[in-house]
């Protein structure tokens, strides 16, 4: 049974209660819209890609920016035309497949919003739990797509047209793959019973990490440099180069456990040495 904030008293109210009440009061119709999940995923993806579009544009004239691009023949940054083509492919798949399918999934979920905001501790635990669950489900699904030939051809092969990925290409995949990954993210939050604020933060960070994984840059401030348990862009670009390794999206523990991990720096270094010798 939900208690109102007035019943709890000001001292016991969660720190995020004011934020949650303002969002819930002013945007309840949007929060309950079945189209929110797909729209949020697409628009967030575009917004988070914008800094990397700037980096790619600067890469043609700035040596410092080019030095951040990963070695081993990664080549020049993608052209603006390549970004433009990728944008329209992703938008078409969202409109024709992802938006209607996720709207149906959202209609099956609860249509009510909790009165109380999560505590900061609850928010943190739920977001971390979502990432761990999503990472596990993604690893299994990704491994299956590579190991089952018809799944690879029908679902995953389109994503691997990018031997050297770039930020916007994080969602340049078949409609079936785009839909499956968004449903895995939505399902992770649903299975854990996350608060809407926790779920929104998880989806935002999930989009950011997916973009960073595909950006083509080994940036000095990237998260994998701070948290050694994360693979980051070098880890995932190694997967695009050597498709039998590094299946997990963010963390590295499942690849270590199943023997599918390859250390990105050593792999790129070997390729770079071969290139120099030639």
């Amino acid at each position: 049974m939900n208690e109102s904030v007035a019943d709890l008293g000001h001292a016991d109210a969660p720190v995020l209660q004011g934020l949650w009440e303002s969002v819930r009061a002013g945007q309840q119709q949007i929060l309950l819209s079945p189209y929110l999940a797909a729209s949020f995923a697409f628009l967030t993806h575009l917004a988070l890609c914008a800094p990397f579009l700037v980096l790619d544009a600067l890469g043609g004239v700035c040596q410092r920016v080019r030095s951040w691009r990963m070695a081993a023949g990664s080549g020049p940054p993608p052209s603006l035309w390549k970004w433009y083509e990728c944008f329209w492919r992703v938008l078409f798949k969202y409109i024709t497949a992802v938006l209607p399918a996720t709207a149906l999934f959202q209609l099956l979920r609860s249509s009510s919003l909790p009165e109380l905001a999560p505590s900061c501790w609850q928010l943190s635990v739920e977001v971390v739990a979502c990432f761990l669950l999503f990472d596990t489900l993604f690893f299994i699904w990704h491994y299956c797509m590579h190991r089952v030939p018809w799944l690879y051809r029908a679902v995953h092969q389109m994503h691997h047209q990018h031997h050297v990925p770039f930020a916007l290409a994080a969602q340049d995949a078949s409609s079936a793959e785009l839909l499956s990954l968004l449903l895995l993210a939505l399902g992770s939050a649903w299975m854990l019973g996350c608060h809407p604020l926790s779920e929104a933060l998880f989806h935002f960070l999930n989009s950011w990490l997916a973009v960073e994984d595909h950006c083509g840059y080994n940036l000095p401030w990237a998260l994998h440099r701070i948290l050694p348990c994360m693979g980051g862009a070098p880890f995932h670009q190694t997967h695009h180069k050597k498709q039998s390794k590094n299946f997990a999206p963010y963390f590295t523990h499942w690849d270590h456990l199943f023997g599918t991990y390859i250390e990105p720096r050593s792999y790129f270094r070997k390729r770079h040495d071969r290139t120099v010798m030639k």
Side-chain angles (χ1 to χ4, degrees), residues 18 74 98 112 135 202-203 224 230 239 247:
S74 63
V98 178
S112 61
D135 192 79
F202 161 65
H203 289 312
H224 68 274
M230 305 195 74
H239 170 74
F247 293 104

Side-chain angles (χ1 to χ4, degrees), residues 110-247:
S110 172
S111 59
S112 61
L113 295 172
E115 291 185 15
L116 295 177
S119 66
C120 293
W121 172 252
Q122 179 188 346
L123 181 82
S124 303
V125 169
E126 288 180 350
V127 170
V128 170
C130 275
F131 271 112
L132 291 173
L133 178 56
F134 175 77
D135 192 79
T136 301
L137 297 175
F138 186 109
F139 175 84
I140 295 169
W141 176 230
H142 195 188
Y143 186 88
C144 290
M145 286 192 290
H146 276 273
R147 287 295 185 262
V148 180
W150 71 266
L151 264 181
Y152 181 81
R153 290 192 302 270
V155 179
H156 193 49
Q157 188 173 23
M158 185 176 293
H159 183 62
H160 275 281
Q161 67 182 297
H162 300 287
H163 300 292
V164 179
F166 61 103
L168 196 61
Q171 294 199 16
D172 193 8
S174 68
S175 298
E177 182 170 359
L178 269 181
L179 179 59
S180 68
L181 297 182
L182 187 52
L183 289 177
L184 283 183
L186 291 170
S188 297
W190 175 70
M191 284 186 280
L192 294 170
C194 291
H195 190 282
L197 275 183
S198 305
E199 184 174 354
L201 180 58
F202 161 65
H203 289 312
F204 176 81
L205 294 175
N206 189 28
S207 294
W208 167 252
L209 290 176
V211 167
E212 191 182 78
D213 270 4
H214 290 82
C215 70
Y217 292 92
N218 191 7
L219 297 170
W221 56 84
L223 193 59
H224 68 274
R225 292 178 176 271
I226 304 169
L227 300 176
C229 61
M230 305 195 74
F235 175 86
H236 193 70
Q237 184 155 317
T238 302
H239 170 74
H240 275 258
K241 293 284 188 181
K242 190 174 179 65
Q243 297 186 25
S244 60
K245 301 291 183 180
N246 295 1
F247 293 104

